[in-house]
């Protein structure tokens, strides 16, 4: 049983699966840079926009994030955390700049933290390492909220593997109930899904052996947002492609159905003819729906 379970998990670890989505250009994106000003405001009246890049939150080279603070922020200002994809083994926060730019342009009253995290390899498993990194970023923001003039309240936008991490942290690790909303775009949700466990691929079976993972059902449930969501989970918005070769449609529809049964506020969009990422009208539709959801729920 465990042997079958490992197959699709490795498939997700093997591929950088979000690049096609995040390299697409929204027509409405602005190329204007945010003004960089001093954080200190001697009159304590109006704070100007501020950005700080590659803030270290740990010793590893990948434990860095970019912070974008809006003008006129106050102690009530909320933060959107962006979590990139890349199959847990690759990727970079720069791939989320399209969302960062849209947020700055169209929802200018939120702060943004665009996060890098340690990447999984043969000696470093994705879990709990990457969840720990998200926890460290959030703790850093809490410790410095007075300095940055922001609140404890946060939201997530994650793509692919980043969508999985965003959902998992929001459902299972938000002990302080600081997450108001979470967005997953083509993020895996349930590693016990038969669409994964019944998959057979000899090449992927050989690859997974390099990681030496013994994936029990209990472990797979622990890392699956589907098995961690509760009636107290934050508002959730999901986007999936009906032709996705890496994340089956059931990953989205099953979580949607569970959110319904738990009466958790949510929205779900399935693009029947799209794969693992999309462009054009559907990409514009994704942002339009996500923007409204953030405004109404963050």
């Amino acid at each position: 049983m465990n042997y079958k379970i490992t197959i699709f998990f490795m498939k997700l670890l093997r591929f950088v699966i979000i690049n096609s989505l995040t390299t697409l250009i929204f027509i409405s994106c602005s190329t204007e840079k945010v003004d960089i000003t001093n954080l200190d405001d001697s009159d304590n009246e109006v704070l100007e926009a501020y950005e700080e890049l590659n803030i270290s939150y740990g010793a590893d080279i990948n434990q860095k994030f970019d912070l974008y603070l809006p003008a006129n922020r106050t102690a009530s200002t909320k933060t959107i955390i962006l979590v990139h994809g890349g199959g847990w083994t690759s990727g970079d926060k720069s791939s989320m700049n399209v969302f960062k730019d849209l947020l700055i342009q169209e929802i200018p009253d939120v702060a943004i933290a665009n996060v890098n995290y340690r990447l999984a390899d043969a000696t470093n498993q994705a879990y709990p390492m990457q969840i720990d990194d998200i926890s460290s970023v959030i703790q850093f923001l809490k410790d410095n909220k007075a300095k940055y003039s922001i609140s404890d309240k946060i939201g997530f936008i994650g793509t692919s593997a980043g969508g999985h991490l965003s959902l998992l942290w929001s459902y299972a690790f938000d002990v302080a109930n600081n997450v108001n909303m979470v967005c997953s775009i083509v993020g895996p949700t349930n590693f016990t899904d038969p669409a994964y466990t019944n998959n057979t691929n000899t090449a992927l079976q050989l690859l997974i052996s390099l990681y030496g993972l013994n994936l029990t059902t209990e472990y797979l449930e622990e890392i699956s947002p589907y098995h961690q969501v509760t009636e107290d989970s934050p508002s959730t918005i999901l986007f999936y492609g009906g032709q996705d070769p890496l994340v089956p449609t059931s990953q989205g529809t099953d979580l949607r159905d569970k959110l319904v049964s738990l009466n958790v506020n949510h929205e779900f969009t399935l693009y029947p003819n799209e794969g693992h990422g999309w462009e054009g009208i559907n990409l514009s539709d994704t942002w339009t729906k996500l923007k409204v959801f953030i405004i109404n729920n963050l």
Side-chain angles (χ1 to χ4, degrees):
M1 177 65 176
N2 291 344
Y3 184 68
K4 291 182 178 180
I5 288 172
T6 61
I7 297 168
F8 212 93
F9 184 79
M10 185 59 211
K11 191 171 186 178
L12 294 166
L13 289 175
R14 181 74 175 91
F15 294 100
V16 183
I17 54 181
I18 200 59
N19 290 346
S20 60
L21 176 66
T22 55
T23 54
L24 297 170
I25 299 175
F26 287 84
I27 294 175
S28 61
C29 279
S30 171
T31 59
E32 182 180 354
K33 294 185 178 296
V34 180
D35 291 333
I36 303 175
T37 63
N38 291 327
L39 274 179
D40 295 332
D41 183 85
S42 56
D43 294 329
N44 197 29
E45 293 178 353
V46 177
L47 294 174
E48 297 188 30
Y50 173 85
E51 71 176 37
E52 187 173 351
L53 306 181
N54 293 314
I55 300 170
S56 294
Y57 63 91
D60 191 270
I61 190 172
N62 285 315
Q63 290 178 306
K64 298 181 185 298
F65 74 98
D66 300 335
L67 182 64
Y68 303 87
L69 302 177
N72 304 317
R73 62 192 176 278
T74 69
S76 298
T77 295
K78 299 165 186 174
T79 302
I80 293 282
I81 298 175
L82 305 179
V83 188
H84 70 79
W88 299 280
T89 63
S90 59
D92 184 81
K93 56 186 168 61
S94 61
S95 67
M96 299 297 285
N97 281 342
V98 62
F99 292 104
K100 178 263 293 183
D101 290 340
L102 283 166
L103 288 166
I104 290 172
Q105 179 180 332
E106 300 192 24
I107 314 181
D109 59 343
V110 300
I112 305 162
N114 193 6
V115 176
N116 268 354
Y117 48 85
R118 287 172 291 174
L119 302 174
D121 56 30
T123 57
N124 298 283
Q125 295 182 20
Y127 180 84
M129 177 177 68
Q130 292 167 352
I131 286 293
D132 290 343
D133 281 357
I134 293 175
S135 296
S136 294
V137 171
I138 292 171
Q139 189 60 53
F140 182 97
L141 292 172
K142 286 184 178 181
D143 291 344
N144 291 277
K145 67 178 183 178
K147 171 185 175 182
Y148 292 131
S149 294
I150 56 175
S151 73
D152 287 338
K153 295 301 181 181
I154 59 175
F156 279 97
I157 300 174
T159 54
S160 196
H164 162 258
L165 293 171
S166 297
L167 289 171
L168 185 60
W169 200 94
S170 298
Y171 291 172
F173 295 91
D174 181 26
V175 295
N177 296 318
N178 287 325
V179 180
N180 286 347
M181 58 77 54
V182 56
C183 168
S184 170
I185 301 174
V186 297
T189 67
N190 182 14
F191 294 109
T192 66
D193 186 343
Y196 285 176
T197 60
N198 295 334
N199 185 280
T200 57
N201 184 312
T202 303
L204 293 175
Q205 293 169 1
L206 292 173
L207 286 170
I208 192 64
S209 67
L210 297 174
Y211 286 77
L213 297 178
N214 180 22
L215 301 180
T216 64
T217 299
E218 292 75 14
Y219 176 83
L220 292 173
E221 290 179 352
E222 183 177 343
I223 64 173
S224 296
Y226 175 86
H227 291 285
Q228 300 301 322
V229 65
T230 71
E231 61 184 6
D232 297 320
S233 292
S235 296
T236 301
I237 184 167
L238 306 169
F239 298 92
Y240 289 86
Q243 306 300 316
D244 193 329
L246 299 173
V247 179
T249 302
S250 55
Q251 292 287 292
T253 56
D254 288 355
L255 180 56
R256 174 203 62 193
D257 294 345
K258 193 163 188 179
L259 291 168
V260 170
S261 69
L262 293 170
N263 199 30
V264 174
N265 180 48
H266 71 283
E267 291 184 16
F268 174 82
T269 299
L270 177 68
Y271 303 107
N273 298 319
E274 299 290 5
H276 200 74
W278 41 85
E279 58 184 338
I281 293 176
N282 285 339
L283 190 57
S284 178
D285 179 71
T286 297
W287 172 246
T288 299
K289 291 176 177 176
L290 178 54
K291 175 185 175 180
V292 173
F293 193 83
I294 293 170
I295 291 172
N296 290 338
N297 294 282
L298 183 61

